[in-house]
Amino acid sequence: MSDQLVWARAHTNIALVKYWGKADAKLIIPQNSSLSLTLDHFYTDTGVQFDSQLSADQLFIDDVLAPVDEKVANCLAVVRQLAGIKTHALIRSYNHVPNAAGLASSASAFAALATAACKAAGLTLSKAELSMVARRGSGSATRSIFGGFVEWHAGDSDTTSFAQPIEDPVQMDIKMITVVLNRHPKKISSRMGMQSSVNTSPYYAAWKQQAAKDLVNIKAAILQANFNMVGHIAETNAMRMHALTLSADPSFTYFNADSLEAMHIVKSLRENGTNCYFTMDAGPNVKIICQSKDEATIINALYRHFTEDKIVVCKPGPGVTIIKDPR
Ligand code: PMV
């Protein structure tokens, strides 16, 4: 065990074929495999030290003492079990998500926590094994262990549900323009939203079948560096995920009026010959998938409706790394 904080940096990722539903809520085994792109802009630095002087785990987020919630506790419990220790941990976490971004940071947060905690506990794990530990904090964190295009194999047990790199560095020219439409925590968490969709949407079985097809097709598109096929699959997959929220009982949605406006802008740009596509997650923010050549056109169109501080352009980003104390 280390006598000082061990630090890791992980970047967030956006799913192009989404994970939306658990087969096992405790182990966080998903209903379907998913595929994402890790981004360069948004990341979390987390330092962990196991300290026998501590009588409880202690978590600081951006230097403010924070409650150790169930997800953090789960992740730490797995690390302690693997390392055969009972010692409590000091955790310091810094989120580098631009103030205005309001993006979910659980993917980068749990990938960084799992990596720093495993190293601090003296474990030497492969990245696939690290992804299994990150998964116990938050499903999407499984994929943030790797950079570029990443697949999370659903599997059917703790050791068969892990992430694998599909392409890093990414060969095709692909960017994501994030349109930030809400900075507040979402009213319906992804955890609640996906559970309600699995339990009550009559379309859930169809979603699972379609997501499996989307995964095969998007991997082929990545291999062929076919940007338009990647964008098209990502957009249709996202809308089919959101159809599960509208068809749940009670129905709910993550769209707001601005999300619809942003999606409308993307569609009209496309009708006029600009190759761009959108995706959305468990919140109103819209992410536009595009190529460098079209970035300026898209941003100009967005500026007619949204202010500059709402728009962040991202490129593919790297996998998790152990870093020096960043403070
Ligand atoms: O694991 P969570 O709670 O971050 O859920 C992620 C759900 C989506 O972002 C909507 C889809 C995905 O695959 O990341």
Side-chain angles (χ1 to χ4, degrees):
M1 271 192 294
S2 171
D3 58 358
Q4 50 190 349
L5 288 158
V6 174
W7 290 87
R9 173 172 296 176
H11 289 71
T12 195
N13 73 78
I14 299 296
L16 303 175
V17 172
K18 311 281 185 196
Y19 142 61
W20 195 247
K22 294 178 178 67
D24 182 323
K26 186 168 176 284
L27 293 176
I28 314 196
I29 310 290
Q31 289 272 356
N32 63 280
S33 297
S34 54
L35 186 140
S36 60
L37 181 65
T38 302
L39 301 184
D40 64 339
H41 245 291
F42 312 119
Y43 62 94
T44 304
D45 287 341
T46 298
V48 178
Q49 181 185 355
F50 287 94
D51 182 347
S52 50
Q53 307 288 309
L54 291 173
S55 55
D57 293 323
Q58 225 174 60
L59 169 66
F60 291 87
I61 299 179
D62 296 324
D63 291 322
V64 179
L65 188 63
V68 175
D69 66 12
E70 196 192 329
K71 297 172 173 189
V72 174
N74 282 347
C75 206
L76 289 173
V78 174
V79 175
R80 276 194 275 262
Q81 196 191 345
L82 287 171
I85 58 170
K86 293 211 155 64
T87 327
H88 293 291
L90 166 67
I91 305 144
R92 290 192 173 275
S93 195
Y94 296 92
N95 274 321
H96 294 268
V97 178
N99 268 345
L103 286 168
S105 53
S106 71
S108 55
F110 285 99
L113 174 65
T115 305
C118 286
K119 175 105 176 152
L123 292 164
T124 315
L125 301 186
S126 68
K127 282 199 154 184
E129 287 166 327
L130 278 178
S131 78
M132 296 174 202
V133 180
R135 194 194 76 231
R136 299 293 286 275
S138 154
S140 55
T142 314
R143 300 180 307 241
S144 269
I145 294 294
F146 295 103
F149 289 117
V150 184
E151 179 179 356
W152 172 15
H153 295 287
D156 56 7
S157 63
D158 188 27
T159 51
T160 54
S161 187
F162 57 86
Q164 180 200 338
I166 293 296
E167 193 182 78
D168 183 27
V170 166
Q171 298 303 309
M172 72 172 73
D173 173 9
I174 184 166
K175 286 193 167 166
M176 265 201 205
I177 303 177
T178 310
V179 190
V180 180
L181 300 172
N182 194 337
R183 293 146 206 212
H184 306 294
K186 48 204 172 209
K187 285 200 193 82
I188 301 174
S189 66
S190 49
R191 193 165 283 215
M192 302 281 290
M194 62 179 81
Q195 175 150 1
S196 161
S197 302
V198 175
N199 293 342
T200 68
S201 171
Y203 307 141
Y204 197 80
W207 153 259
K208 260 182 86 165
Q209 277 175 14
Q210 186 61 43
K213 287 185 197 154
D214 290 345
L215 186 71
V216 171
N217 292 337
I218 206 164
K219 285 202 283 187
I222 291 168
L223 210 63
Q224 296 158 19
N226 186 335
F227 169 81
N228 284 313
M229 204 194 292
V230 167
H232 175 75
I233 295 168
E235 185 175 304
T236 49
N237 178 274
M239 290 304 97
R240 286 164 180 167
M241 180 203 114
H242 287 275
L244 296 174
T245 76
L246 296 172
S247 56
D249 182 8
S251 68
F252 62 101
T253 183
Y254 294 108
F255 298 168
N256 68 17
D258 285 335
S259 324
L260 294 171
E261 182 65 51
M263 290 191 272
H264 175 71
I265 293 171
V266 172
K267 286 207 170 185
S268 354
L269 281 165
R270 201 155 71 219
E271 273 158 27
N272 290 312
T274 306
N275 296 330
C276 53
Y277 303 86
F278 55 78
T279 185
M280 278 183 69
D281 295 287
N285 301 334
V286 174
K287 295 104 188 177
I288 302 173
I289 304 161
C290 68
Q291 291 175 295
S292 305
K293 67 178 172 56
D294 298 317
E295 196 181 311
T297 311
I298 298 164
I299 289 179
N300 279 335
L302 290 170
Y303 279 171
R304 277 181 233 130
H305 299 268
F306 304 108
T307 49
E308 210 170 311
D309 62 317
K310 290 197 161 36
I311 297 162
V312 185
V313 183
C314 299
K315 295 197 293 291
V320 73
T321 46
I322 294 290
I323 55 166
K324 288 204 203 102
D325 188 336
R327 292 170 300 167

